[in-house]
Amino acid sequence: MLGYPAHFGQMECVRMIASPRYSEKRVGYLGAMMLLDEKQDASLLITNSIKNDLSNSNQYIQSLALCTLACMGSAEMCRDLAPEIDRLLRASNSYIKKKAALCAVHIVRKVHDLGELFTKAARSLLTEKNHGVVHGAVVLITELCERNSETLERFRKTVPDLVQIMKGLVISGYSPDHDVAGISDPFLQVRILRLLRILGRNNEAASDAMNDLLAQVATNTDSTKTVGNAVLYETVLTVLDIKSESGLRVLAVNILGRFLLNNDRNIRYIAMTSLQKIVGTDHNAVQRHRGTIVDCLKDQDASVKRRALELSLALVSASNIRSMMKELLSFLSSCPPELRSQTASGIFNAAERYAPSQRWHIDTILHVLTTAGGDVRDETVPNLIQLITNTSELHCYTVHKLYRALLSDISQQPLVQVACWCIGEYGDLLLRGECQETEPVQVHRAQQTLVFPSANSDCDPVNPLTAPLSLHNSTPDSRIRSIVSIYGSCIDVELQQRAVEYNALFKKYDHMRAAVLERMPVIEKNSQGHTNGETIKESQTVKVKPGEPQQPANQVCDLLDLLGGSEQPLQPSPALGSAAPPIPVSTPNTVGGDLLDLLGGLEPTPITPVATVTVYEKDGVTVTLGCEKQSDSGLTVTLTASNSTESDIRGFTLQAAVPKSVQLHMKAPSGDSLPARGAAKVTQMVVLNNPNKVNLKMRLRISYTSQGSAVQDTVQIDSFPGLGQ
C-alpha cells in the first residue's frame, strides 16, 4: 500500500489460501486482494483454491472466495468460475446469495458474454425478502440491461415487481435495520429508481406502469434531509428520462426549484445542472423559477455562479429580453474575471436573437464594451460595425455616444476600434450637433482629432491612424496631415508603413484620395467582401458615371491590384447595378500601380502553383508529393500526409533515400501525429541537389502507430511532377 516491493509476500498468500484453517485463509485472501491483480502470474495459482472454497460448507470461507474473485478476478478466472457463481445464486443462504450477486456483477463487466448465464437467477432474486439480496439483484440486472439490448427487453417485464418493491419501501413503517434518517433503505430505493429509469427509457408501456409510483415517491419523501433529497433527485432524473406525463414532469421541475432554495450549495448545483439539460424541452416549466435562478448569480461559490449564468442565458427569450438583460448586465459589472468572457458572449448572442429594436441592440453592446471590452470575442468589433452601418437612422446617435465613451475611457481596445471607425466615417455628424435622440455634444474640429488615442497607448495604433484619414475626407483639416506625417518615422513597422502610404495619398495621389476614402457602403453579412470582420472598401465604392473619363477609376483599380500584372477585367460590384460598366485593369506601369511600390523598382513575381501527386494511399493514410524547382540542380519536395480513418495516428515519421550522387536534406516535420478524419496534416520539406543531372528517384519509408499496432511501409517514387521525367 505504501509503494514498497511486496513480491516476496505473493507466494506466501498463495500458501495461506491453500491452508485448511479459516484464520490463515482470511489473512491469505486479504493479502491476495491487496498484493495481487489480474496482471500478476501468481493470481492464476489461486484459481483452484477459490474454486474449492466456493464449495466449502463454511459460509464465511465461501464469502472470502467470493470477495476475492469480485475484487481481482481476471477474465480467465471469471470464465472458469462463472458456473460456480451461478450455482451460488440459487443457494438457500441469503448471505451467500448477496455476495454471489455482487461477484456476478464483476464477471459481467469483465466478460460481457457471460451475462446470459445469470439472467434467470437474477430475476428470481427479486422475490427475496432480504434487502441485501434484492439490492445485489437490482445492481446485477442494471448491469445486464446496460450491456445487452435483448436482455433489456426481457427485464422490462419485471417493472411491476420493481414497482411493488418500491411501494413497500415508501409506505413501510419504521424498520430499525433499514431506516436512515426516517427513510426506509434509501440505498435500495436509489438503485431501484436507476433501474426503472433504464427500463422506462423510450418505452411507453413501462413508463405508464411506473408513473403513479414516481408521483407517490415525489410527494411522500421528506426533503428536509440529505437522504430524502438523494431519493428525490433520483426520482426527478427518472421522471425526466422516461416517457412520463406532462404533469409529472412539471412536478419534477418544481422539486428542482425547491432544491434551488436549499442552503446546501451542492444541492443547488445539481439542481441547476439538471435544469440546464431540460430547459430546451420544458422551457415554460423552468421559466417559473427564473427569479430563483437569477438570484443564484449572487452566490459566493464560483461553480454555482457559472451554472446559474449558463441557465440564465438559456432562459432568455423575446418576452423577457429586457428584464433578463438588465440582470445579466448587472452581473457583468461585478462577476469574476474568469466569467466575463462567457457572460459577454452570451449577452451578444441573446441581443442578436431577441433585440426589440436596433437602438436597444446598439446600446446593449456598447454597455458591454465599456464594462468588459477587454474580454469580448474578436468578431464583436466587425459585427457591431456592420450593425451600425446598416442602421443609417442611428448614425448620429451612435457617433455621439461613442464620442462620449471615448472621452471617458480609452483603455478598452474594442470600444476604441469601433469609436475610431465611426468617428472616421460619420465625424461630420459630430460637427452638426443635430442629434435629437440624445443630448448633442458641441464638438470642434480640433477636438475631433485630439480624441484619437496615440500610438503609445495600449490600443491597436493602426486604427486611430486610419480613422483621421477617413475623417479628412468629410471634414478636411490640416492637422490630420500633421498627425499622419508624425508616424512616418515611427519604430512600429506596420504603423510606419501605413503612415508612408497615407502621406503618398496626400501628396502624389491627392486626386485619388476622395475615391479611395469614400464613405463605407452598407455591409452585407457573409458577403464576398466580408471576411474575418474586415470589409474591402474600395471595390464597393468605385462609381463611374456616364460621360466621365475613366482614367481616375483605372488608377483606383491599379491601387487595388496589390500583386500587379492582372490581365482579368474587374467585374462590376453587384451593389453598383447596371449603370457601371466593367472597368479594365491597367498595367503596373501606370501611376496607380506605382503607388504601392513604395520601395521603387520592384517588379512583382507571378506565383506558380505547385503541382502535387499522390504517392501513397493505404489504410486511410495518404501521402502527397509536391515539387518546386529552385535552380537547375536544386529542387524542393513537399511531402504532406493526412489520415482519413476514425482513430488518431501517433509516431508518424517519413524517411527518404535517393541515389548517392544526389544530395538530400530533410527539414524538421510539422508534427508526428495525424488526427482522425483529416483534422490536421503533417508536412515535411525535403531539399534535393542533383548536380550530375541523373535520373531522379526516391524511396520513401512510412512508419506510424495506429490503434496500438506499429505499421511500416515503403514506396518507390520514380517521377516528380513538374520536372518532365
Side-chain angles (χ1 to χ4, degrees):
M1 293 176 66
L2 299 178
Y4 293 100
H7 56 275
F8 60 87
Q10 295 176 359
M11 295 308 299
E12 188 66 21
C13 290
V14 174
R15 186 189 66 80
M16 297 184 73
I17 289 173
S19 172
R21 300 176 58 183
Y22 172 76
S23 58
E24 293 185 0
K25 281 184 177 292
R26 181 176 59 181
V27 177
Y29 277 123
L30 178 61
M33 285 187 279
M34 296 175 59
L35 301 178
L36 297 178
D37 56 38
E38 59 182 74
K39 298 179 182 178
Q40 303 289 340
D41 294 335
S43 63
L44 299 177
L45 300 177
I46 66 173
T47 303
N48 191 56
S49 297
I50 292 178
K51 184 175 182 180
N52 293 332
D53 289 340
L54 289 176
S55 303
N56 198 294
S57 58
N58 189 331
Q59 65 175 358
Y60 299 108
I61 293 179
Q62 288 180 310
S63 174
L64 288 175
L66 288 170
C67 291
T68 304
L69 180 59
C71 178
M72 44 80 64
S74 62
E76 291 78 7
M77 295 175 63
C78 291
R79 288 191 179 92
D80 294 338
L81 301 176
E84 296 294 327
I85 304 303
D86 182 55
R87 178 180 61 82
L88 293 177
L89 286 173
R90 294 174 170 82
S92 58
N93 191 333
S94 299
Y95 178 76
I96 296 301
K97 285 193 285 190
K98 175 180 64 175
K99 300 281 186 179
L102 297 179
C103 186
V105 173
H106 173 78
I107 293 176
V108 172
R109 290 173 180 171
K110 280 291 180 183
V111 187
H112 305 333
D113 300 338
L114 295 177
E116 190 70 23
L117 180 64
F118 305 114
T119 302
K120 187 175 181 180
R123 183 168 183 176
S124 64
L125 293 179
L126 291 176
T127 60
E128 293 287 332
K129 301 298 183 181
N130 186 283
H131 282 211
V133 177
V134 177
H135 189 280
V138 171
V139 175
L140 178 57
I141 294 173
T142 302
E143 194 68 31
L144 293 172
C145 293
E146 289 179 341
R147 302 282 177 181
N148 193 302
S149 57
E150 295 181 0
T151 306
L152 173 63
E153 291 296 330
R154 193 178 308 169
F155 274 107
R156 281 202 168 109
K157 299 177 182 178
T158 64
V159 171
D161 299 333
L162 294 169
V163 169
Q164 199 64 32
I165 296 172
M166 189 67 185
K167 281 185 177 180
L169 295 173
V170 174
I171 65 177
S172 65
Y174 173 76
S175 175
D177 294 335
H178 309 110
D179 186 85
V180 179
I183 305 295
S184 178
D185 203 344
F187 303 100
L188 180 56
Q189 290 193 39
V190 167
R191 285 292 183 180
I192 293 176
L193 288 170
R194 289 181 183 176
L195 179 55
L196 290 175
R197 181 159 72 247
I198 296 173
L199 297 175
R201 188 178 299 147
N202 301 323
N203 188 280
E204 293 186 3
S207 299
D208 292 341
M210 62 184 75
N211 276 334
D212 293 340
L213 168 70
L214 295 174
Q216 186 177 4
V217 175
T219 53
N220 294 341
T221 303
D222 183 13
S223 61
T224 58
K225 297 180 181 179
T226 304
V227 177
N229 287 330
V231 176
L232 286 175
Y233 181 63
E234 288 297 332
T235 305
V236 169
L237 295 182
T238 304
V239 170
L240 298 178
D241 209 14
I242 67 174
K243 293 182 175 298
S244 55
E245 300 171 351
S246 59
L248 195 57
R249 297 180 70 87
V250 173
L251 177 61
V253 174
N254 291 338
I255 292 175
L256 294 176
R258 292 205 306 268
F259 283 177
L260 294 176
L261 301 174
N262 199 293
N263 294 328
D264 191 336
R265 289 174 178 169
N266 295 321
I267 295 179
R268 293 204 300 271
Y269 180 84
I270 63 172
M272 284 186 287
T273 303
S274 302
L275 290 172
Q276 179 73 27
K277 296 177 182 178
I278 63 170
V279 67
T281 56
D282 298 273
H283 191 270
N284 293 332
V286 181
Q287 280 282 4
R288 298 190 183 98
H289 307 280
R290 187 176 69 231
T292 308
I293 295 169
V294 171
D295 288 340
C296 290
L297 290 172
K298 305 172 185 177
D299 197 283
Q300 298 299 320
D301 188 86
S303 300
V304 175
K305 273 187 178 181
R306 186 181 297 275
R307 279 286 178 262
L309 173 62
E310 295 172 355
L311 191 53
S312 298
L313 292 173
L315 289 176
V316 177
S317 62
S319 59
N320 61 20
I321 180 66
R322 293 184 182 272
S323 59
M324 286 296 294
M325 200 58 63
K326 182 179 179 181
E327 297 289 346
L328 291 171
L329 291 175
S330 175
F331 174 72
L332 179 64
S333 61
S334 60
C335 71
E338 62 270 13
L339 293 180
R340 285 182 185 172
S341 179
Q342 181 182 0
T343 307
S345 300
I347 291 175
F348 289 153
N349 292 335
E352 186 174 357
R353 294 180 61 185
Y354 305 114
S357 65
Q358 297 286 8
R359 175 173 173 175
W360 182 92
H361 192 182
I362 293 175
D363 287 343
T364 301
I365 297 181
L366 291 182
H367 188 285
V368 175
L369 291 181
T370 55
T371 306
D375 299 293
V376 300
R377 298 171 300 179
D378 294 338
E379 62 266 24
T380 300
V381 172
N383 288 345
L384 179 55
I385 289 177
Q386 180 205 0
L387 176 63
I388 295 172
T389 306
N390 293 339
T391 54
S392 57
E393 67 277 6
L394 296 177
H395 284 172
C396 184
Y397 168 78
T398 305
V399 75
H400 276 80
K401 192 158 187 173
L402 285 169
Y403 179 79
R404 290 179 175 177
L406 206 59
L407 286 177
S408 59
D409 184 17
I410 62 170
S411 62
Q412 309 286 358
Q413 178 170 325
L415 177 65
V416 172
Q417 289 177 305
V418 176
C420 289
W421 187 92
C422 288
I423 294 174
E425 290 291 325
Y426 313 119
D428 57 316
L429 301 178
L430 279 174
L431 296 177
R432 297 178 188 175
E434 299 174 353
C435 183
Q436 299 178 356
E437 299 186 35
T438 184
E439 184 179 351
V441 182
Q442 295 298 326
V443 183
H444 302 288
R445 293 187 177 182
Q447 293 175 307
Q448 276 186 316
T449 57
L450 290 176
V451 75
F452 295 113
S454 65
N456 297 325
S457 65
D458 296 332
C459 298
D460 180 12
V462 176
N463 200 27
L465 181 61
T466 307
L469 192 70
S470 301
L471 183 62
H472 187 275
N473 206 34
S474 58
T475 57
D477 194 332
S478 60
R479 283 183 292 268
I480 294 179
R481 297 186 59 175
S482 302
I483 293 174
V484 174
S485 300
I486 292 174
Y487 298 105
S489 57
C490 181
I491 193 173
D492 186 283
V493 177
E494 184 178 5
L495 191 57
Q496 184 189 65
Q497 178 184 348
R498 297 292 180 94
V500 172
E501 293 171 350
Y502 295 162
N503 275 321
L505 275 178
F506 277 118
K507 296 176 182 178
K508 189 175 181 180
Y509 305 100
D510 190 65
H511 59 282
M512 298 168 50
R513 179 172 46 78
V516 173
L517 302 177
E518 190 174 333
R519 177 172 290 183
M520 290 281 290
V522 175
I523 306 173
E524 295 182 4
K525 197 170 186 178
N526 296 328
S527 62
Q528 185 177 359
H530 188 250
T531 57
N532 296 328
E534 299 178 358
T535 305
I536 300 176
K537 178 176 180 177
E538 295 86 346
S539 61
Q540 297 286 339
T541 56
V542 180
K543 299 180 181 180
V544 181
K545 297 181 180 180
E548 290 187 357
Q550 295 186 5
Q551 182 62 25
N554 288 339
Q555 294 172 356
V556 175
C557 293
D558 290 341
L559 174 64
L560 296 179
D561 188 13
L562 301 181
L563 297 178
S566 176
E567 299 296 335
Q568 299 295 329
L570 178 66
Q571 297 299 326
S573 170
L576 302 180
S578 58
I583 305 173
V585 179
S586 59
T587 63
N589 296 325
T590 61
V591 177
D594 292 336
L595 172 61
L596 293 181
D597 192 2
L598 301 178
L599 300 178
L602 295 181
E603 292 296 333
T605 303
I607 298 177
T608 305
V610 179
T612 59
V613 62
T614 301
V615 296
Y616 179 83
E617 189 171 8
K618 187 177 180 181
D619 297 332
V621 177
T622 304
V623 179
T624 61
L625 180 144
C627 297
E628 188 175 358
K629 200 167 185 180
Q630 304 296 336
S631 61
D632 291 340
S633 60
L635 177 68
T636 300
V637 177
T638 304
L639 298 171
T640 306
S642 61
N643 170 27
S644 60
T645 64
E646 297 296 325
S647 58
D648 295 343
I649 288 178
R650 306 294 180 188
F652 185 86
T653 58
L654 293 173
Q655 296 174 300
V658 293
K660 294 183 179 180
S661 60
V662 179
Q663 300 174 1
L664 178 144
H665 173 64
M666 296 190 71
K667 297 185 178 180
S670 61
D672 63 348
S673 62
L674 290 172
R677 295 188 288 275
K681 299 181 179 181
V682 171
T683 305
Q684 185 159 11
M685 306 287 290
V686 181
V687 180
L688 302 177
N689 186 19
N690 187 12
N692 297 331
K693 307 291 182 64
V694 299
N695 190 17
L696 194 58
K697 294 183 179 181
M698 178 186 291
R699 179 167 294 177
L700 199 63
R701 175 179 290 175
I702 304 163
S703 305
Y704 58 89
T705 302
S706 176
Q707 296 181 348
S709 302
V711 180
Q712 189 177 86
D713 207 349
T714 305
V715 61
Q716 178 81 17
I717 304 173
D718 296 324
S719 61
F720 293 78
L723 299 185
Q725 294 193 93

